[in-house]
């Protein structure tokens, strides 16, 4: 699961808005919004500290959040390889 999906699912589950998470973590709301829209693949990259804070506030295992923030490769990234 990509970071954006993981964060969006957890936010819905806990009924938290971007603004509420920003208030709880101190991370600026536009950064959180970028993470929920683009994940870790977008132009704004989350730091490990931000990922840790998001995991705590959203009550997610840190390992799951870190794994979701790693680059994911698809067959389109490697043309010529069997699918």
């Amino acid at each position: 699961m990509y970071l954006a999906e993981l964060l969006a699912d957890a936010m819905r589950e806990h009924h938290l808005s971007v603004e509420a998470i920003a208030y709880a973590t101190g991370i600026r709301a536009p950064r959180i919004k970028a993470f929920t829209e683009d994940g870790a693949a977008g132009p704004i990259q989350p730091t490990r500290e931000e990922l840790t804070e998001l995991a705590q506030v959203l009550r997610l295992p840190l390992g799951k959040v870190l794994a979701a923030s790693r680059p994911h490769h698809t067959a389109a990234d490697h043309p010529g390889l069997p699918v």
Side-chain angles (χ1 to χ4, degrees):
M1 178 177 283
Y2 295 105
L3 182 63
E5 296 167 331
L6 181 66
L7 296 177
D9 289 348
M11 288 170 63
R12 270 192 302 278
E13 180 180 330
H14 298 296
H15 306 285
L16 293 171
S17 66
V18 168
E19 292 76 15
I21 294 171
Y23 180 78
T25 63
I27 302 169
R28 293 185 46 205
R31 286 185 66 81
I32 296 169
K33 186 174 181 184
F35 304 154
T36 60
E37 291 177 357
D38 301 328
I44 299 174
Q45 300 292 309
T47 65
R48 184 178 175 99
E49 181 180 336
E50 289 171 328
L51 293 171
T52 300
E53 290 179 35
L54 291 169
Q56 289 173 344
V57 167
L58 295 171
R59 294 179 241 153
L60 295 167
L62 179 58
K64 189 172 186 176
V65 174
L66 293 175
S69 71
R70 291 189 193 110
H72 291 67
H73 299 286
T74 65
D77 295 330
H78 304 284
L81 292 178
V83 179

